Amino acid sequence: MMLQTIVFAAARSRAHGPTAALWHAVELHRPAAEVDGACELTLCGALARVSPEQQWPVAAFDVCPACVPLAR
Ligand SMILES: [Zn+2]
């Protein structure tokens, strides 16, 4: 049995008041197909919708600054 590594998925939060929509990291405990489109708790404690087609780290400018150091 292989040692399971922690896999991160990218999740998109919604714009909420003054907070812009950002890409967050979500720790995957289930296959990515099972969390497709699901709202999951991100590493920084926000709720965001998982986009399995988007790989973490996200090559975008609007990435959550709190999730980046947590998802290393
Ligand atoms: Zn975040």
Side-chain angles (χ1 to χ4, degrees):
M1 189 172 161
M2 283 178 66
L3 191 70
Q4 198 165 6
T5 53
I6 298 171
V7 177
F8 296 106
R12 186 75 167 166
S13 66
R14 287 202 200 168
H16 184 73
T19 310
L22 292 170
W23 284 106
H24 296 265
V26 170
E27 206 177 301
L28 282 185
H29 300 288
R30 292 182 283 163
E34 283 186 30
V35 293
D36 189 357
C39 259
E40 293 282 326
L41 194 64
T42 66
L43 295 187
C44 68
L47 278 174
R49 198 167 290 274
V50 177
S51 300
E53 69 273 15
Q54 190 75 47
Q55 288 284 328
W56 182 270
V58 181
F61 294 106
D62 52 345
V63 177
C64 172
C67 278
V68 171
L70 293 171
R72 286 187 206 272

